[in-house]
Amino acid sequence: MFRTERSGTPRKYADFIGEVQHRIDAGTQAEAVRTTRAVLETLGERVGEGGATDIASPLPLEIDRYLLQVEHGQTSDLDEFVERVHERLNDEDLELETDYSRPSGVDRADATYRTKAVLALLSEVVPGGEIANVESQLHEEFEELFELVDAETQPWEAQ
């Protein structure tokens, strides 16, 4: 399980990325970074700036920027949201010169699973009221993406 400091703040960037890597069964940390970035940028676009700031504040600085650097308050339904994550996971990102700039080659089903895994981790790190505020900004159909939050058994625990 991901460990946080008493205040709920993640201890380190590497801990967060390592936990994402474990949950999505990624072969490299770069793939976990790319997944984290794809999910959080898309979430940041979908919620208002205040909501993005609230959920970004307990995250490591290297991660919170994914939520904050985007245009907030965009509307999208669940299919569009997952498609944006999917596109980001598979985008060339040619302007980046890092390992995570390489496309992941994941399908939509895997993009959905990765989104659920990152959101479940986010719910462990961000105070409950802040996550509830974000969830309230999303249409009911988005509940599917939060199904691993508080689930009795997590898929990554069986690995």
Side-chain angles (χ1 to χ4, degrees), residues 28-64:
T28 64
Q29 275 195 331
E31 190 176 346
V33 170
R34 186 176 190 84
T35 296
T36 301
R37 177 181 168 212
V39 173
L40 296 184
E41 283 182 351
T42 306
L43 181 62
E45 288 173 344
R46 184 60 180 79
V47 299
E49 186 174 357
T53 301
D54 290 344
I55 57 178
S57 63
L59 298 176
L61 294 176
E62 302 92 337
I63 295 170
D64 72 356

Side-chain angles (χ1 to χ4, degrees), residues 60-99:
L61 294 176
E62 302 92 337
I63 295 170
D64 72 356
R65 66 189 175 101
Y66 300 138
L67 286 155
L68 302 174
Q69 68 187 7
V70 296
E71 183 181 328
H72 305 286
Q74 298 178 31
T75 58
S76 63
D77 62 17
L78 179 61
D79 288 336
E80 290 173 293
F81 185 94
V82 172
E83 184 58 31
R84 285 182 188 175
V85 171
H86 179 249
E87 287 173 1
R88 283 187 164 118
L89 286 169
N90 294 296
D91 188 24
E92 290 289 337
D93 280 334
L94 295 176
E95 76 278 3
L96 299 175
E97 295 184 21
T98 59
D99 286 340

Side-chain angles (χ1 to χ4, degrees), residues 1-19 57-63 121 124-126:
M1 170 164 278
F2 181 70
R3 290 181 172 60
T4 60
E5 294 176 358
R6 182 170 284 172
S7 68
T9 304
R11 292 189 306 185
K12 291 191 268 183
Y13 168 80
D15 291 340
F16 191 98
I17 295 302
E19 186 60 27
S57 63
L59 298 176
L61 294 176
E62 302 92 337
I63 295 170
L121 178 56
E124 294 172 25
V125 176
V126 177

Side-chain angles (χ1 to χ4, degrees), residues 24 31 35 39 89 104 106 110-118:
I24 66 170
E31 190 176 346
T35 296
V39 173
L89 286 169
S104 297
V106 301
D110 194 24
T112 301
Y113 173 76
R114 288 172 182 228
T115 300
K116 291 176 183 181
V118 171

Side-chain angles (χ1 to χ4, degrees), residues 112-113 116 119-120 135 142-156:
T112 301
Y113 173 76
K116 291 176 183 181
L119 291 177
E135 285 185 72
F142 281 81
E143 286 179 15
E144 174 187 331
L145 296 180
F146 291 88
E147 73 182 7
L148 296 179
V149 175
D150 298 327
E152 207 167 294
T153 308
Q154 303 294 354
W156 49 86

